[in-house]
C-alpha cells in the first residue's frame, strides 16, 4: 500500500508522543502529504485560529511515493495555518529528511500545543522522544544540525530545524532541512518557533515496504526515469543550470519583475543568471557554481552548490561563509536580484546563504526589500529610519537588511513583517506585490497572463508552484499556449492546479512535470498503492484537495476580493518587450475560472460540486 499506516501525534504542552493508525479512508481519498495532511488539519483545527497560538497545529507529512525508488521521491510537506497570510499553508521541501521519516516508519507527524521550554523531537525508528533544546535556542540552522548529529553520535541523522528567524517569528520564516533545502513559504518556521520546537531529528533504518505490486513498480519507475533523462528540461537544462536556466529566457520575454514590478525587464539579468554562475571570476579564477546536487532519489539534480569569492565585500572578514553551500535558484536570484535592481551575483549568493543559515524565505524577503527600496526612493522612508541608504540597485542595502532581518535587529524587524504589513504601516499598501499577503514569485503577469490567474487564485497566496502555467506559456509543456493572451487560461490554470495537487500529495517533485504528465504519475501510484488509483480517480483527488483548501480559506474569512492582483499589474502597462502595452487580464479570466471550478459568482463551491467531490 506504500503508506506506513502510522501517524505520530506529539503534544508539546504535555510533552507526550503517541502513535496512532493512519486513517486509511482519508489516505485513499487524499493520497498523502499535501492532501492527506490538509484533511487532518481542517478536521482538527478551527479555520479562525490565530496562526501563532498554541491552538494552531503543525503537520509534517510524507506521500506514498516518498522514500521509494520513484524519481524525486524524497519530498515532504509542512501544513499549518500560515502567519504571513492567515490562509492554509502547505510548504514543500526536498533533500533527505522526508525519506528518512518514512523509513523510520511514519507517514506523518502532528504537533499540537506549545512546549513550556525549547525542545527538539528525536525519532529513532519507532521511538520518538522530546528532548531539551535550551542550548540550541538562538543558534542557526547551520549550527543546530551538526550539533544534533554530534550529540547523538550519528552522522546519518537527518535534521529539519528553524534558525533565529523562526524563533523571532519573522512572518515568512522557513523550516530548513539538510542545511539548504527548505519548506520555505508562508511562515511555517514562525509557527514552529511559536511552539518552542527547535528541530526534528530522524534516523530511519526500516526502509519503505508495503508496495502494492513491487515487480510492476520497479518496471514502471525505470520507464519513467528514462523519460526524465531524455527530456530537454529535466535531462539537460535543469542539471546544467538548475532553475536558473530561466533567468535570461524570462527576461527576454519581458516578464521579469524588476524594481518592485515597476519594470518587466532587468538590464543586469545576464549577470545573475545560470550561465553567469558557470563563468570563472577574474578575481580568483573560480566559478560561483561548484557543482550540482540531487535530493533523495532524484535523477534530475537541479540543486546548486556555490562558493563566494573570498575577497568580496560581503565575506572578506567572514571565513564562515567561504565554504561551499546551497547556491542561487531562479526564484531567489530574482527576488534578491532583479526585484531590487541588484546585479552583484556574489552579494546575492551571500544573502542566499544567510536565508538558508537562519531560515528565511528568500522570495518574501527579497520582495519585501523591493517595497522598502521603493518607499525609500519616494522619500517615505529615510536613511535614518532604515539604517542605510536603500535605493534600487544597492547591494549594500540588500545585504545589511538581510543581516538585520535574520538576527531580528533594527529595521530588520520591520522587514520581517512582510511587504503587506510593512507597506500598510507606512501608508502605501498598494506597493505590496502580493496575493493574500504572500509575495509574488519571479514572473510578471502582464507578460505571462496565465500565471497571473494562478497567483490570484492560489490557496496559499501568490505562488508559482500551485499551477505552473509557465511550463505551457513559456516552455510549451505539455502544449504551447500564447503567454500574451487570456484565452483558454482559466482551463489551463485549473488543470495545472489539480494535477499539481496530485504530484505534491504523491510525494514527488513538481519539476518532474516538465517531462511527466499525470498519465506518467498514475501507473507509479497504482503500482505502489493499488489499482483503484486510475486516471479518473487521481483527477478527482486533485480537484478534491483544491476545494478542501478553498473551503478552509473561506471559513477563515477570505472572499472573492482576495482573488486579485495589485492595481499596478492591472493598470500600469508593460513598457517594453513582447508584452509592451499589456496589463494583466485577471478580471476577465476570473469568472470563467469560477465557472469551470463549479463555484458561484462569489467564488464559493456550489453544493453539487461539494457533493461530487465528497466534501
Amino acid at each position: 500500500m506504500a503508506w506506513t499506516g502510522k501517524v505520530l501525534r506529539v503534544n508539546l504542552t504535555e510533552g507526550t508522543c503517541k502513535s496512532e493508525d493512519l486513517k486509511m479512508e482519508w489516505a485513499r481519498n487524499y493520497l498523502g502529504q499535501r492532501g492527506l495532511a490538509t484533511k487532518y488539519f481542517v478536521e482538527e483545527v478551527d479555520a479562525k485560529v490565530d496562526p501563532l497560538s498554541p491552538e494552531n497545529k503543525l503537520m509534517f507529512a510524507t506521500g506514498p511515493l516518498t522514500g521509494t525508488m520513484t524519481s524525486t521521491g524524497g519530498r515532504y510537506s509542512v501544513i499549518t495555518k500560515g502567519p504571513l497570510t492567515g490562509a492554509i499553508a502547505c510548504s514543500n521541501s526536498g533533500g533527505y529528511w522526508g525519506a528518512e521519516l518514512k523509513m523510520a516508519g511514519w507517514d506523518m507527524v502532528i504537533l499540537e500545543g506549545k512546549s513550556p521550554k525549547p525542545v527538539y523531537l528525536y525519532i529513532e525508528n519507532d521511538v520518538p522522544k522530546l528532548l531539551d533544546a535550551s542550548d540550541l535556542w538562538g543558534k542557526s540552522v547551520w549550527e543546530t544540525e551538526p550539533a544534533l548529529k554530534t550529540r547523538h553520535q550519528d552522522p546519518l541523522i537527518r535534521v529539519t530545524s528553524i534558525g533565529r528567524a523562526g524563533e523571532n517569528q519573522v512572518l515568512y520564516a522557513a523550516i530548513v532541512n539538510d542545511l539548504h533545502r527548505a519548506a520555505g513559504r508562508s511562515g511555517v518556521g514562525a509557527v514552529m518557533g511559536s511552539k518552542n520546537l527547535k528541530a526534528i531529528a530522524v534516523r530511519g533504518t526500516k526502509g519503505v515496504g508495503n508496495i502494492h505490486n513491487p515487480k510492476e513498480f520497479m518496471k514502471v519507475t525505470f520507464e519513467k526515469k528514462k523519460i526524465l533523462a531524455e527530456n530537454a528540461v529535466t535531462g539537460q537544462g535543469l542539471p546544467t543550470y538548475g532553475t536558473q536556466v530561466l533567468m535570461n529566457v524570462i527576461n527576454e520575454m519581458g516578464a521579469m519583475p524588476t524594481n518592485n514590478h515597476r519594470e518587466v525587464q532587468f538590464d543586469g539579468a545576464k549577470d545573475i543568471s545560470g550561465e553567469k554562475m558557470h563563468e570563472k571570476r577574474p578575481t580568483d579564477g573560480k566559478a560561483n557554481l561548484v557543482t550540482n546536487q540531487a535530493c533523495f532519489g532524484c535523477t534530475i539534480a537541479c540543486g546548486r552548490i556555490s562558493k563566494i569569492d573570498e575577497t568580496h565585500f560581503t565575506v572578506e572578514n567572514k571565513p564562515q561563509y567561504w565554504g561551499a553551500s546551497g547556491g542561487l535558484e531562479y526564484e531567489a536570484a530574482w527576488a534578491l536580484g532583479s526585484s531590487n535592481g541588484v546585479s552583484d551575483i556574489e552579494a546575492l549568493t551571500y544573502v542566499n546563504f544567510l536565508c538558508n543559515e537562519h531560515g528565511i524565505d528568500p522570495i518574501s524577503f527579497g520582495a519585501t526589500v523591493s517595497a522598502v527600496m521603493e518607499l525609500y526612493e519616494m522619500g517615505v522612508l529615510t536613511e535614518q529610519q532604515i539604517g542605510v541608504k536603500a535605493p534600487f540597485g544597492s547591494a549594500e542595502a540588500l545585504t545589511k537588511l538581510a543581516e538585520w532581518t535574520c538576527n531580528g535587529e533594527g529595521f530588520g524587524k520591520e522587514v520581517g513583517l512582510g511587504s503587506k504589513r510593512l507597506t500598510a504601516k507606512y501608508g502605501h499598501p498598494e506597493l505590496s506585490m502580493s496575493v493574500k499577503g504572500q509575495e509574488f514569485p519571479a514572473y510578471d503577469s502582464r507578460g505571462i497572463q496565465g500565471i497571473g490567474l494562478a497567483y490570484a487564485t492560489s490557496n496559499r497566496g501568490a505562488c508559482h508552484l500551485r499551477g505552473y502555467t509557465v511550463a505551457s506559456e513559456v516552455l510549451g509543456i505539455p502544449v504551447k499556449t500564447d503567454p500574451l493572451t487570456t484565452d483558454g487560461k482559466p482551463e489551463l490554470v485549473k488543470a495545472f492546479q489539480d494535477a499539481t495537487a496530485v504530484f505534491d500529495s504523491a510525494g514527488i517533485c513538481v519539476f518532474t512535470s516538465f517531462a511527466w504528465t499525470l498519465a506518467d504519475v498514475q501507473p507509479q501510484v497504482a503500482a505502489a498503492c493499488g489499482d483503484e488509483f486510475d486516471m479518473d480517480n487521481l483527477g478527482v483527488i486533485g480537484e478534491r484537495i483544491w476545494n478542501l483548501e478553498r473551503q478552509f480559506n473561506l471559513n477563515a474569512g477570505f472572499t472573492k476580493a482576495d482573488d486579485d492582483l495589485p492595481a499596478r499589474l492591472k493598470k500600469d502597462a508593460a513598457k517594453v518587450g513582447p508584452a509592451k502595452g499589456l496589463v494583466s487580464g485577471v478580471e476577465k479570466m476570473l469568472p470563467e475560472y469560477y465557472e469551470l471550478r463549479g463555484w458561484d459568482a462569489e467564488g464559493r463551491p456550489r453544493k453539487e460540486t461539494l457533493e461530487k467531490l465528497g466534501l
Side-chain angles (χ1 to χ4, degrees):
M1 296 189 305
W3 300 276
T4 69
K6 287 174 57 182
V7 174
L8 175 60
R9 189 175 294 271
V10 179
N11 188 306
L12 292 163
T13 304
E14 298 175 0
T16 58
C17 301
K18 297 179 180 178
S19 173
E20 59 187 54
D21 293 336
L22 180 71
K23 297 181 187 296
M24 289 309 303
E25 181 182 356
W26 289 0
R28 285 188 287 269
N29 288 335
Y30 295 92
L31 200 55
Q33 203 162 314
R34 173 180 163 191
L36 183 58
T38 299
K39 175 62 175 175
Y40 270 84
F41 188 82
V42 301
E43 292 291 337
E44 297 186 11
V45 180
D46 187 334
K48 296 191 182 300
V49 71
D50 178 347
L52 297 177
S53 71
E55 289 70 36
N56 194 15
K57 295 187 182 184
L58 190 67
M59 302 184 180
F60 290 71
T62 66
L65 298 185
T66 303
T68 70
M69 62 184 293
T70 192
S71 183
T72 76
R75 312 299 295 189
Y76 75 96
S77 289
V78 182
I79 292 83
T80 188
K81 184 178 181 181
L84 183 68
T85 60
I88 190 75
C90 172
S91 199
N92 190 304
S93 183
Y96 289 79
W97 188 90
E100 197 76 16
L101 180 67
K102 188 79 173 287
M103 289 188 283
W106 305 96
D107 289 312
M108 191 185 319
V109 178
I110 300 174
L111 296 143
E112 307 171 329
K114 176 181 180 178
S115 174
K117 65 178 183 179
V119 294
Y120 70 97
L121 176 62
Y122 177 59
I123 302 170
E124 186 174 3
N125 291 324
D126 292 331
V127 183
K129 299 176 184 176
L130 283 171
L131 300 172
D132 183 49
S134 298
D135 62 318
L136 299 174
W137 205 253
K139 293 188 181 298
S140 72
V141 168
W142 289 2
E143 293 169 317
T144 299
E145 182 167 325
L148 288 174
K149 290 182 176 183
T150 299
R151 181 170 302 180
H152 292 278
Q153 291 294 291
D154 189 348
L156 296 180
I157 285 173
R158 298 295 177 181
V159 178
T160 190
S161 63
I162 56 171
R164 296 188 188 100
E167 295 174 5
N168 296 334
Q169 272 133 66
V170 170
L171 294 181
Y172 44 84
I175 299 172
V176 180
N177 57 280
D178 303 295
L179 298 178
H180 49 80
R181 310 317 301 165
R185 304 224 69 194
S186 306
V188 293
V191 175
M192 191 162 163
S194 75
K195 296 186 174 300
N196 275 335
L197 180 66
K198 182 64 178 177
I200 305 179
V202 183
R203 186 71 168 98
T205 59
K206 293 185 167 189
V208 176
N210 299 329
I211 299 297
H212 170 67
N213 186 338
K215 187 175 180 180
E216 177 64 18
F217 187 68
M218 291 182 72
K219 174 177 173 288
V220 74
T221 54
F222 177 80
E223 292 171 355
K224 300 310 178 184
K225 287 174 184 176
K226 190 175 180 183
I227 292 174
L228 295 176
E230 294 173 351
N231 180 271
V233 178
T234 55
Q236 299 172 36
L238 284 173
T240 303
Y241 295 110
T243 54
Q244 275 277 64
V245 71
L246 287 168
M247 179 64 71
N248 288 321
V249 174
I250 300 300
N251 194 53
E252 289 167 11
M253 287 186 62
M256 175 69 67
T258 302
N259 293 0
N260 204 30
H261 285 74
R262 293 195 307 199
E263 311 293 339
V264 295
Q265 286 184 322
F266 179 44
D267 290 341
K270 65 183 183 302
D271 296 319
I272 58 173
S273 65
E275 292 84 346
K276 185 68 174 180
M277 291 173 72
H278 280 260
E279 291 181 14
K280 291 183 178 180
R281 296 180 287 244
T283 50
D284 61 2
K286 298 177 181 178
N288 176 278
L289 182 70
V290 175
T291 186
N292 64 337
Q293 188 178 64
C295 299
F296 175 91
C298 179
T299 55
I300 301 172
C302 74
R304 304 292 93 183
I305 300 297
S306 289
K307 189 178 188 303
I308 304 171
D309 178 359
E310 294 175 10
T311 65
H312 192 264
F313 81 90
T314 54
V315 300
E316 58 183 343
N317 296 312
K318 300 172 185 173
Q320 67 269 36
Y321 298 105
W322 290 356
S325 191
L328 291 167
E329 297 180 13
Y330 173 56
E331 300 298 332
W334 162 78
L336 306 174
S338 310
S339 187
N340 297 306
V342 177
S343 57
D344 182 338
I345 196 168
E346 303 299 318
L348 303 191
T349 304
Y350 170 65
V351 174
N352 193 64
F353 277 17
L354 289 178
C355 289
N356 292 335
E357 181 186 16
H358 297 287
I360 279 185
D361 171 17
I363 300 177
S364 282
F365 167 74
T368 302
V369 171
S370 305
V372 171
M373 287 183 169
E374 185 163 1
L375 288 166
Y376 176 83
E377 292 200 346
M378 291 167 60
V380 176
L381 287 174
T382 66
E383 179 183 354
Q384 288 70 31
Q385 287 173 291
I386 300 172
V388 66
K389 292 178 180 177
F392 284 114
S394 173
E396 181 185 3
L398 174 71
T399 55
K400 287 291 185 185
L401 287 168
E403 291 167 354
W404 296 336
T405 304
C406 288
N407 292 309
E409 299 170 352
F411 198 79
K413 294 177 182 178
E414 304 281 272
V415 177
L417 296 172
S419 67
K420 180 180 179 180
R421 290 168 178 82
L422 186 147
T423 56
K425 180 174 181 177
Y426 291 101
H428 288 275
E430 75 280 2
L431 299 185
S432 173
M433 297 296 111
S434 62
V435 171
K436 300 177 179 71
Q438 181 156 284
E439 290 75 15
F440 289 121
Y443 310 92
D444 194 289
S445 54
R446 291 164 289 198
I448 307 175
Q449 291 287 327
I451 201 68
L453 179 63
Y455 288 161
T457 57
S458 169
N459 289 324
R460 72 166 184 171
C463 178
H464 58 300
L465 295 175
R466 284 296 179 270
Y468 194 65
T469 65
V470 173
S472 172
E473 295 180 279
V474 178
L475 302 173
I477 300 169
V479 295
K480 184 72 174 80
T481 54
D482 185 352
L484 302 180
T485 180
T486 59
D487 296 344
K489 297 304 167 59
E491 184 178 6
L492 184 73
V493 168
K494 179 184 181 298
F496 269 86
Q497 288 173 338
D498 291 349
T500 299
V502 175
F503 277 72
D504 286 347
S505 300
I508 57 177
C509 179
V510 72
F511 286 175
T512 59
S513 66
F514 288 121
W516 291 348
T517 66
L518 206 55
D520 294 297
V521 177
Q522 181 273 325
Q524 299 182 75
V525 173
C529 301
D531 297 334
E532 68 192 89
F533 292 100
D534 57 23
M535 284 294 291
D536 289 341
N537 190 9
L538 286 185
V540 170
I541 286 173
E543 192 171 1
R544 181 181 294 130
I545 293 166
W546 194 266
N547 280 268
L548 180 69
E549 293 170 337
R550 178 72 177 189
Q551 284 288 88
F552 179 89
N553 284 351
L554 291 171
N555 291 336
F558 287 88
T559 68
K560 176 184 178 181
D562 296 295
D563 295 338
D564 202 3
L565 301 178
R568 174 169 285 173
L569 300 176
K570 298 185 296 178
K571 295 180 180 178
D572 297 350
K575 300 170 186 174
V576 296
K580 184 178 180 179
L582 291 182
V583 296
S584 171
V586 66
E587 291 171 337
K588 177 184 176 184
M589 295 183 281
L590 197 62
E592 182 184 347
Y593 172 86
Y594 281 178
E595 191 61 35
L596 286 168
R597 277 270 173 227
W599 298 350
D600 65 21
E602 294 301 311
R604 298 174 299 223
R606 295 191 178 102
K607 182 180 179 182
E608 54 267 31
T609 301
L610 296 176
E611 289 177 349
K612 179 187 79 169
L613 298 172
L615 293 173

Short mmCIF file of all heavy atoms in Angstrom, two decimals, residues 439-457:
data_model
loop_
_atom_site.label_atom_id
_atom_site.label_comp_id
_atom_site.label_asym_id
_atom_site.label_seq_id
_atom_site.Cartn_x
_atom_site.Cartn_y
_atom_site.Cartn_z
N GLU A 439 4.08 37.27 -1.07
CA GLU A 439 4.73 37.98 -2.17
C GLU A 439 4.85 37.12 -3.43
O GLU A 439 5.00 35.91 -3.35
CB GLU A 439 6.13 38.46 -1.72
CG GLU A 439 6.10 39.59 -0.71
CD GLU A 439 5.72 39.18 0.70
OE1 GLU A 439 5.73 37.95 0.99
OE2 GLU A 439 5.41 40.06 1.53
N PHE A 440 4.84 37.82 -4.58
CA PHE A 440 4.93 37.15 -5.87
C PHE A 440 6.26 36.44 -6.08
O PHE A 440 7.30 36.93 -5.64
CB PHE A 440 4.78 38.15 -7.02
CG PHE A 440 3.40 38.70 -7.18
CD1 PHE A 440 3.18 40.05 -7.09
CD2 PHE A 440 2.33 37.86 -7.44
CE1 PHE A 440 1.91 40.57 -7.23
CE2 PHE A 440 1.06 38.37 -7.59
CZ PHE A 440 0.85 39.72 -7.48
N PRO A 441 6.23 35.36 -6.83
CA PRO A 441 7.46 34.79 -7.39
C PRO A 441 7.90 35.56 -8.64
O PRO A 441 7.42 36.66 -8.91
CB PRO A 441 7.05 33.35 -7.73
CG PRO A 441 5.74 33.14 -7.05
CD PRO A 441 5.09 34.49 -7.00
N ALA A 442 8.76 34.91 -9.45
CA ALA A 442 9.57 35.62 -10.44
C ALA A 442 8.98 35.72 -11.84
O ALA A 442 9.71 35.64 -12.82
CB ALA A 442 10.93 34.94 -10.53
N TYR A 443 7.68 35.91 -11.96
CA TYR A 443 7.07 36.01 -13.28
C TYR A 443 6.06 37.14 -13.27
O TYR A 443 5.18 37.19 -12.41
CB TYR A 443 6.36 34.69 -13.65
CG TYR A 443 7.24 33.49 -13.45
CD1 TYR A 443 7.22 32.79 -12.23
CD2 TYR A 443 8.11 33.06 -14.43
CE1 TYR A 443 8.05 31.69 -12.03
CE2 TYR A 443 8.94 31.97 -14.23
CZ TYR A 443 8.91 31.29 -13.02
OH TYR A 443 9.73 30.20 -12.81
N ASP A 444 6.17 38.05 -14.25
CA ASP A 444 5.26 39.18 -14.32
C ASP A 444 4.00 38.77 -15.08
O ASP A 444 4.07 38.25 -16.19
CB ASP A 444 5.94 40.37 -15.01
CG ASP A 444 5.16 41.65 -14.79
OD1 ASP A 444 4.07 41.78 -15.38
OD2 ASP A 444 5.63 42.52 -14.04
N SER A 445 2.85 39.01 -14.48
CA SER A 445 1.59 38.54 -15.05
C SER A 445 1.08 39.39 -16.20
O SER A 445 0.03 39.09 -16.76
CB SER A 445 0.53 38.45 -13.95
OG SER A 445 0.40 39.67 -13.26
N ARG A 446 1.82 40.43 -16.58
CA ARG A 446 1.49 41.14 -17.80
C ARG A 446 2.09 40.44 -19.01
O ARG A 446 1.52 40.45 -20.10
CB ARG A 446 1.99 42.60 -17.71
CG ARG A 446 1.23 43.42 -16.70
CD ARG A 446 1.94 44.71 -16.31
NE ARG A 446 3.13 44.48 -15.50
CZ ARG A 446 3.72 45.42 -14.76
NH1 ARG A 446 3.23 46.66 -14.73
NH2 ARG A 446 4.78 45.13 -14.05
N GLY A 447 3.25 39.82 -18.80
CA GLY A 447 3.93 39.11 -19.89
C GLY A 447 3.59 37.64 -19.95
O GLY A 447 3.82 36.98 -20.95
N ILE A 448 3.06 37.08 -18.85
CA ILE A 448 2.61 35.68 -18.79
C ILE A 448 1.23 35.69 -18.14
O ILE A 448 1.11 35.65 -16.91
CB ILE A 448 3.61 34.79 -18.01
CG1 ILE A 448 5.03 34.95 -18.57
CG2 ILE A 448 3.19 33.33 -18.08
CD1 ILE A 448 6.09 34.20 -17.77
N GLN A 449 0.20 35.78 -18.95
CA GLN A 449 -1.15 36.05 -18.44
C GLN A 449 -1.68 34.95 -17.53
O GLN A 449 -2.30 35.22 -16.50
CB GLN A 449 -2.11 36.28 -19.62
CG GLN A 449 -1.86 37.57 -20.39
CD GLN A 449 -2.30 38.80 -19.62
OE1 GLN A 449 -3.25 38.78 -18.85
NE2 GLN A 449 -1.57 39.90 -19.82
N GLY A 450 -1.43 33.69 -17.89
CA GLY A 450 -1.98 32.59 -17.10
C GLY A 450 -1.48 32.56 -15.67
O GLY A 450 -2.22 32.25 -14.74
N ILE A 451 -0.19 32.90 -15.51
CA ILE A 451 0.38 32.83 -14.15
C ILE A 451 -0.27 33.87 -13.24
O ILE A 451 -0.35 33.68 -12.03
CB ILE A 451 1.91 33.00 -14.19
CG1 ILE A 451 2.54 32.41 -12.90
CG2 ILE A 451 2.34 34.43 -14.38
CD1 ILE A 451 2.44 30.92 -12.77
N GLY A 452 -0.77 34.97 -13.82
CA GLY A 452 -1.47 35.97 -13.01
C GLY A 452 -2.73 35.40 -12.39
O GLY A 452 -3.03 35.64 -11.21
N LEU A 453 -3.48 34.63 -13.17
CA LEU A 453 -4.67 33.98 -12.63
C LEU A 453 -4.29 32.92 -11.60
O LEU A 453 -4.97 32.77 -10.57
CB LEU A 453 -5.48 33.35 -13.77
CG LEU A 453 -6.75 32.60 -13.35
CD1 LEU A 453 -7.76 33.56 -12.69
CD2 LEU A 453 -7.39 31.90 -14.55
N ALA A 454 -3.20 32.21 -11.86
CA ALA A 454 -2.72 31.21 -10.89
C ALA A 454 -2.34 31.88 -9.57
O ALA A 454 -2.65 31.36 -8.49
CB ALA A 454 -1.54 30.44 -11.47
N TYR A 455 -1.66 33.04 -9.64
CA TYR A 455 -1.33 33.79 -8.42
C TYR A 455 -2.60 34.17 -7.66
O TYR A 455 -2.70 33.99 -6.44
CB TYR A 455 -0.61 35.09 -8.78
CG TYR A 455 0.81 35.01 -9.28
CD1 TYR A 455 1.36 36.09 -9.97
CD2 TYR A 455 1.61 33.90 -9.06
CE1 TYR A 455 2.67 36.06 -10.44
CE2 TYR A 455 2.92 33.86 -9.53
CZ TYR A 455 3.44 34.94 -10.22
OH TYR A 455 4.72 34.92 -10.69
N ALA A 456 -3.54 34.75 -8.38
CA ALA A 456 -4.74 35.31 -7.75
C ALA A 456 -5.57 34.26 -7.05
O ALA A 456 -6.18 34.53 -6.01
CB ALA A 456 -5.58 36.04 -8.80
N THR A 457 -5.60 33.05 -7.61
CA THR A 457 -6.48 32.02 -7.06
C THR A 457 -5.76 31.01 -6.19
O THR A 457 -6.40 30.11 -5.63
CB THR A 457 -7.18 31.27 -8.22
OG1 THR A 457 -6.19 30.73 -9.10
CG2 THR A 457 -8.09 32.21 -8.99
#
